[in-house]
Amino acid sequence: KYNLRKIEFSIESNEVDPIYQKADKKIEYDIRCYCNGKEVGLLQFTEYVNALGSNIDTHLPNEKITILYFDWIEVDSKYRNLGVGQLLYKEFGKIYYEKFNGIPVTRNFDNPIAEYSLKKAISLNWIPEGTFSEKYTNRNESTYYKDQKLIEDLRKNLQDGYTL
């Protein structure tokens, strides 16, 4: 068992050259979660301002969009199923309310657990309702739908009005 009471977060940001995405601005953010001084989780997202969507990800429209794109969320295997992913989304929500309120959020989901964690954070109001953009979301066909029982089990745990 791990004591998650000693959790700390750090956030780093880095403005990068947005030329490939044909964006006005591109800033990458890392939210790191530490337990007793050890990094146990990471949520990476990028802010794109007036970027060509199809140059961010192939499933996005070939038009200029302003969006927050979740690049990566990872939890140390020893700390999975303890709520670390949820804590990362909760920390993201604090930053979102302060800095990005109103900008749509999306992700390319490889598995239903990642989407479940995000939808649960939204259902708990850690991230504002309506933030998540289904229009810009993709689910990786080759990996997402492999375990239908897992998807059904996760759906049962979401509050009414939320689905995978």
Side-chain angles (χ1 to χ4, degrees), residues 33-47:
C33 179
Y34 299 91
C35 183
N36 298 318
K38 177 186 180 199
E39 186 176 327
V40 297
L42 169 67
L43 188 152
Q44 293 179 318
F45 69 97
T46 304
E47 173 190 16

Side-chain angles (χ1 to χ4, degrees), residues 69-134:
Y69 188 85
F70 286 118
D71 301 298
W72 188 257
I73 183 165
E74 183 64 37
V75 175
D76 183 304
S77 61
K78 294 177 185 163
Y79 289 81
R80 290 188 182 150
N81 299 315
L82 297 174
V84 173
Q86 286 292 292
L87 291 172
L88 285 163
Y89 279 125
K90 186 176 185 178
E91 193 67 16
F92 167 81
K94 291 177 191 175
I95 296 163
Y96 184 87
Y97 277 109
E98 288 174 20
K99 218 176 164 165
F100 303 111
N101 214 351
I103 298 176
V105 174
T106 194
R107 173 153 193 205
N108 182 14
F109 291 107
D110 288 326
N111 66 67
I113 295 170
E115 183 172 10
Y116 169 81
S117 293
L118 177 59
K119 297 263 179 100
K120 183 160 183 161
I122 293 169
S123 75
L124 294 169
N125 205 31
W126 293 343
I127 300 171
E129 181 79 42
T131 299
F132 178 69
S133 174
E134 189 65 46

Side-chain angles (χ1 to χ4, degrees), residues 12-72:
E12 302 162 13
S13 64
N14 181 34
E15 191 157 355
V16 293
D17 186 357
I19 192 140
Y20 177 73
Q21 287 82 16
K22 297 182 172 73
D24 292 347
K25 180 169 75 170
K26 176 183 177 182
I27 301 178
E28 298 174 340
Y29 296 84
D30 290 351
I31 302 173
R32 297 177 189 280
C33 179
Y34 299 91
C35 183
N36 298 318
K38 177 186 180 199
E39 186 176 327
V40 297
L42 169 67
L43 188 152
Q44 293 179 318
F45 69 97
T46 304
E47 173 190 16
Y48 294 97
V49 176
N50 293 323
L52 189 60
S54 58
N55 285 2
I56 297 170
D57 201 319
T58 56
H59 75 275
L60 293 172
N62 191 27
E63 61 189 45
K64 291 279 192 168
I65 58 175
T66 294
I67 199 160
L68 298 180
Y69 188 85
F70 286 118
D71 301 298
W72 188 257

Side-chain angles (χ1 to χ4, degrees), residues 3-20:
N3 181 357
L4 291 182
R5 284 178 265 190
K6 296 184 179 181
I7 292 285
E8 297 175 339
F9 294 94
S10 73
I11 180 159
E12 302 162 13
S13 64
N14 181 34
E15 191 157 355
V16 293
D17 186 357
I19 192 140
Y20 177 73

